[in-house]
Amino acid sequence: MPHDGHDNGSKLSETELRVRALESLLIEKGYVDHAALDQLIETYETKVGPRNGARVIAKAWTDPEYKSWLLSDATAAIASLGYSGRQGEDMVVLENTAKVHNLVVCTLCSCYPWPVLGLPPTWYKAAPYRARAVSQPRAVLKEFGVELSEDVEVRVWDSTAETRYLVLPMQPSNTNNWSEDRLAEIVTRDSMIGTGLVGSNA
Ligand code: FE
């Protein structure tokens, strides 16, 4: 599985090295503090980025035609909402159903669909998740608070430099008459990676 052309595990890329050097310099000079930077990154990881994906999911839940387009040509359907660019060139959307639960990992590094989810969370890049998502997916899901019944098949998808996945979570049954905006608010980042489910009181 080709993983060239982007970050590969522990080896830092030229860009990452430059970012680290700049970060240390800014902190050393007292221009920024570590906590503020962490908070900024956290915002992009959990709020800004995943809100794009949430719009995609909410539209798929409320518009059957958009949903079929999304499942057949995710890259184009997602780009139609304005979300495209690096690390989102070849998107595949995986639909969760009552019988199938999809879980996304990048076993070799940290491939992640940036245009729809923003920056990958730390755990996504960490070795334990990368290894165990494949070998013990149900145990990993349980640690994230997701318990699936035995008759649900868990499918694990390994992202690559070519293909990035977005999970289309199941819509909570009591939200059928909700507006797209309201639905977008309950879609979590983890539910679009497969390490979470969407609840109507999220
Ligand atoms: Fe990767």
Side-chain angles (χ1 to χ4, degrees):
M1 220 167 307
H3 270 256
D4 50 318
H6 65 302
D7 57 336
N8 47 3
S10 58
K11 221 171 116 216
L12 293 177
S13 70
E14 167 87 15
T15 310
E16 286 166 330
L17 286 169
R18 283 174 179 272
V19 168
R20 295 222 176 163
L22 268 175
E23 181 182 338
S24 334
L25 192 65
L26 289 170
I27 290 167
E28 199 182 297
K29 298 266 181 195
Y31 294 133
V32 293
D33 73 37
H34 225 298
L37 264 186
D38 284 349
Q39 202 181 7
L40 191 67
I41 291 167
E42 154 97 14
T43 300
Y44 277 89
E45 278 176 359
T46 63
K47 299 197 175 78
V48 181
R51 288 303 96 214
N52 295 350
R55 302 295 322 179
V56 172
I57 302 307
K59 188 163 177 63
W61 282 347
T62 51
D63 179 344
E65 257 180 59
Y66 182 78
K67 181 180 160 184
S68 344
W69 186 22
L70 188 65
L71 294 173
S72 61
D73 185 355
T75 311
I78 290 169
S80 77
L81 299 184
Y83 312 133
S84 58
R86 279 199 66 207
Q87 316 267 333
E89 293 95 340
D90 290 289
M91 292 293 308
V92 170
V93 168
L94 310 161
E95 185 183 16
N96 280 352
T97 66
K99 295 281 163 216
V100 175
H101 181 90
N102 297 286
L103 178 67
V104 180
V105 64
C106 175
T107 54
L108 288 190
C109 47
S110 57
C111 297
Y112 195 69
W114 293 357
V116 278
L117 292 184
L119 303 172
T122 307
W123 55 259
Y124 185 87
K125 297 180 277 186
Y129 177 76
R130 285 161 38 204
R132 296 181 59 241
V134 176
S135 60
Q136 311 160 49
R138 280 179 190 272
V140 169
L141 285 171
K142 206 168 168 182
E143 285 158 26
F144 277 92
V146 177
E147 294 213 45
L148 301 168
S149 76
E150 281 305 313
D151 64 338
V152 177
E153 179 195 347
V154 178
R155 293 186 189 157
V156 181
W157 300 79
D158 194 0
S159 311
T160 68
E162 277 77 38
T163 308
R164 305 300 162 98
Y165 301 102
L166 182 72
V167 174
L168 172 58
M170 284 210 287
Q171 178 175 357
S173 55
N174 59 340
T175 62
N176 284 330
N177 54 1
W178 286 27
S179 70
E180 203 177 309
D181 285 348
R182 192 173 171 200
L183 286 168
E185 281 171 29
I186 61 169
V187 180
T188 59
R189 175 196 65 195
D190 288 5
S191 72
M192 294 181 278
I193 302 174
T195 50
L197 302 176
V198 179
S200 54
N201 51 5

